[in-house]
Amino acid sequence: MQVRVFEAPDMASGLKQVKEALGADALILSTRTVRKGKLGLLGKPVLEITAAVDERWPQGETTPRPAAPPRDNSQTTSPAPMGTTPRQAALSYENLWQSPAPERPASAPTPAPEQEDTRQLRSELQELRQLIQGLAGRLPATARTAPAYVEPEFIRRQPATDPADNRPAMQLLLAMGVDRKTALTINRYAEEELAPEQMKDPDRLREFLTRAIAGVLRTTGRLPDKGKGQQRLALVGATGVGKTTTIAKLAAGSMGRLGGNIALITIDTYRIAAVEQLKVYSEIMRLPLEVVIRPQDLEQALERHRERDLILIDTAGRSPRNEAAMQELAAFFPLHLGIEPHLVLPAPTRDNELEDTIARFSCLPLASFIFTKLDECGPLGVLLNTQLRHGAPISFLTNGQRVPEDILTAEPARLADMILSHDGACYHG
Ligand SMILES: Nc1nc2c(ncn2[C@@H]2O[C@H](COP(=O)(O)OP(=O)(O)O)[C@@H](O)[C@H]2O)c(=O)[nH]1
Ligand SMILES: [Mg+2]
């Protein structure tokens, strides 16, 4: 393993140096601000990044290591003055936000993957700009308490065996993606409770089904109130499902209520880009971010933030098919640490894939399901199906890429209404 220390005036140019020198698979071991110069405490603040790379780590297709040797200004012993080269200047946050593309020297064409990196960084920064705009006018969110769950009588009954599929309730439920067994049960309940003419009245039927579905859904979108004891949430799930974005939304949504008394921890150290993404969010919200590599270091990191009301823990995307990776992940959540793992599931996922993912992540003590990408999903019966099959409550729903706006706290009546209205996107904003 190669470990090196980089110095930079800010996180963006520091991470750029790390990427250029060690490649995009480099791991950030620590970051800290030190003061340089003869003035001691009054010296110029400099960001010091310790990063490592190991040739044995698997290489991502989109993040090849650079063929060129490291640049001079990334040497451990004598870092060059920072922010002075045209290349560094072109890669400042401001320039990335404003200019269409950073200039590249004609004599040293950059390979395509690096352009892709820059494009990705720019698109992330676009999202961050929206985050800042969103934060400006954000009001404190209201904590919601989940009502005690009492399983309704009709769920305990045997489903009907031979109802006609052309019954109005059946048709509506199946069209909304509610699975057949559940639809049969709800249909039977509706036929028992409603008069035939009420069954034919679409508004009456819909209102009845909304109440029936709301009655069986369990939700728990509760985040802590200030000074009421610390809550530790970890978001787990496959790669790209929206864990990091949802952490940013949850943190931003709790900022007002908790007075910023939040800390972020990431154990997603597989890729530099993953740490970088959360680091940028943490900088914008001025929240501390801890990068934890080994399970045994997590307790100390939590201890350092024991006064915070909310700890949000981001994790690496794990393929649920990789047993070893799942065991590694589980090692971060010994029960005595009191961390609640919440499984992030994209709503537009095929039923069998969803079931497979849930089965494999069930080696963790899952506290809830968080459904993401509702804006890309058609019928939302999947929410009810998953809930009834697995029992874990639903806590949050996300319906877009905008941070912090596109997140909803799960509530039974709202969820039932969404399921029967067919379209997650209509709940935008
Ligand atoms: N359409 C849509 N995209 C989302 C949503 N949540 C996250 N994303 C996008 O999904 C991609 C992966 O998100 P990320 O948080 O990095 O996923 P992670 O790998 O699980 O941490 C990003 O482009 C996000 O903007 C959502 O609710 N709707
Ligand atoms: Mg992530």
Side-chain angles (χ1 to χ4, degrees):
M1 182 185 292
Q2 199 188 140
V3 179
R4 295 174 57 170
V5 179
F6 298 80
E7 291 183 352
D10 56 46
M11 185 58 70
S13 57
L15 290 171
K16 194 71 199 166
Q17 281 184 41
V18 176
K19 262 190 206 170
E20 286 181 348
L22 300 181
D25 287 324
L27 186 68
I28 304 295
L29 300 180
S30 67
T31 64
R32 62 178 188 145
T33 303
V34 291
R35 297 212 173 247
K36 290 273 165 162
K38 292 178 188 158
L39 294 173
L41 274 179
L42 299 176
K44 199 173 167 216
V46 170
L47 187 67
E48 193 182 79
I49 302 176
T50 307
V53 72
D54 189 323
E55 297 306 325
R56 289 165 304 170
W57 289 347
Q59 298 286 300
E61 282 175 22
T62 54
T63 54
R65 290 183 202 292
R71 287 167 185 268
D72 287 344
N73 63 0
S74 60
Q75 294 300 330
T76 310
T77 44
S78 55
M82 296 158 300
T84 50
T85 66
R87 183 171 178 77
Q88 282 172 325
L91 286 167
S92 71
Y93 274 9
E94 290 73 19
N95 288 358
L96 277 164
W97 281 23
Q98 281 152 21
S99 66
E103 278 179 28
R104 302 191 184 286
S107 56
T110 311
E114 189 171 331
Q115 289 174 8
E116 179 54 37
D117 262 8
T118 310
R119 263 200 301 279
Q120 201 180 329
L121 185 54
R122 189 176 301 107
S123 111
E124 277 169 17
L125 289 168
Q126 276 293 356
E127 286 177 22
L128 293 172
R129 190 194 289 179
Q130 289 169 359
L131 170 71
I132 293 173
Q133 285 161 356
L135 281 175
R138 190 148 180 93
L139 292 169
T142 314
R144 304 183 196 282
T145 313
Y149 174 66
V150 180
E151 193 170 72
E153 171 64 21
F154 74 86
I155 283 294
R156 292 198 291 270
R157 291 183 207 152
Q158 287 299 311
T161 47
D162 187 29
D165 276 11
N166 60 1
R167 301 276 191 197
M170 253 335 246
Q171 283 186 342
L172 185 57
L173 292 167
L174 292 175
M176 299 312 166
V178 175
D179 71 31
R180 194 175 166 73
K181 187 175 163 206
T182 309
L184 284 170
T185 312
I186 297 176
N187 178 67
R188 183 177 160 196
Y189 178 55
E191 293 197 335
E192 282 176 13
E193 297 292 317
L194 294 180
E197 61 276 14
Q198 289 178 314
M199 287 290 281
K200 288 185 199 136
D201 174 349
D203 290 341
R204 178 75 186 92
L205 179 61
R206 194 189 169 79
E207 182 203 320
F208 179 85
L209 293 178
T210 306
R211 267 193 294 115
I213 292 175
V216 293
L217 285 169
R218 287 177 67 207
T219 60
T220 172
R222 194 171 36 83
L223 286 175
D225 283 323
K226 195 164 179 53
K228 293 273 169 70
Q230 187 178 84
Q231 196 174 347
R232 300 169 173 177
L233 269 67
L235 267 51
V236 299
T239 309
V241 295
K243 297 180 295 299
T244 306
T245 315
T246 305
I247 292 246
K249 290 174 183 176
L250 289 173
S254 308
M255 285 288 279
R257 189 161 35 85
L258 300 181
N261 205 21
I262 301 166
L264 306 178
I265 295 179
T266 182
I267 57 174
D268 184 356
T269 49
Y270 278 179
R271 296 282 173 109
I272 182 174
V275 177
E276 185 177 331
Q277 185 187 3
L278 197 58
K279 184 78 197 165
V280 174
Y281 282 125
S282 78
E283 283 186 349
I284 288 173
M285 291 186 268
R286 296 181 192 282
L287 296 178
L289 170 67
E290 295 269 353
V291 181
V292 172
I293 295 168
R294 301 175 309 167
Q296 57 267 43
D297 297 332
L298 184 56
E299 190 159 4
Q300 276 177 3
L302 289 167
E303 182 58 23
R304 281 193 288 278
H305 299 287
R306 62 183 175 280
E307 303 302 331
R308 307 256 163 186
D309 293 308
L310 178 61
I311 307 280
L312 293 167
I313 303 172
D314 196 11
T315 65
R318 307 277 160 157
S319 160
R321 301 194 171 279
N322 184 338
E323 288 289 334
M326 294 301 296
Q327 292 312 316
E328 269 175 38
L329 181 63
F332 280 95
F333 308 126
L335 288 180
H336 75 275
L337 291 185
I339 298 170
E340 304 168 10
H342 296 256
L343 180 58
V344 181
L345 297 165
T349 308
R350 281 203 310 273
D351 199 46
N352 55 349
E353 245 177 77
L354 209 62
E355 287 301 304
D356 199 32
T357 302
I358 294 171
R360 288 168 194 270
F361 274 95
S362 293
C363 64
L364 304 177
L366 296 178
S368 87
F369 298 131
I370 295 175
F371 280 95
T372 56
K373 310 197 182 186
L374 263 61
D375 53 310
E376 295 178 355
C377 190
L380 293 177
V382 59
L383 304 179
L384 179 64
N385 301 338
T386 311
Q387 155 85 122
L388 291 181
R389 282 178 208 156
H390 299 282
I394 300 173
S395 53
F396 297 98
L397 310 161
T398 76
N399 57 347
Q401 291 183 290
R402 293 176 308 167
V403 179
E405 293 95 333
D406 294 334
I407 188 163
L408 303 166
T409 304
E411 290 166 28
R414 175 190 251 171
L415 277 180
D417 197 31
M418 291 170 80
I419 290 167
L420 287 170
S421 74
H422 194 274
D423 187 1
C426 72
Y427 283 82
H428 237 303

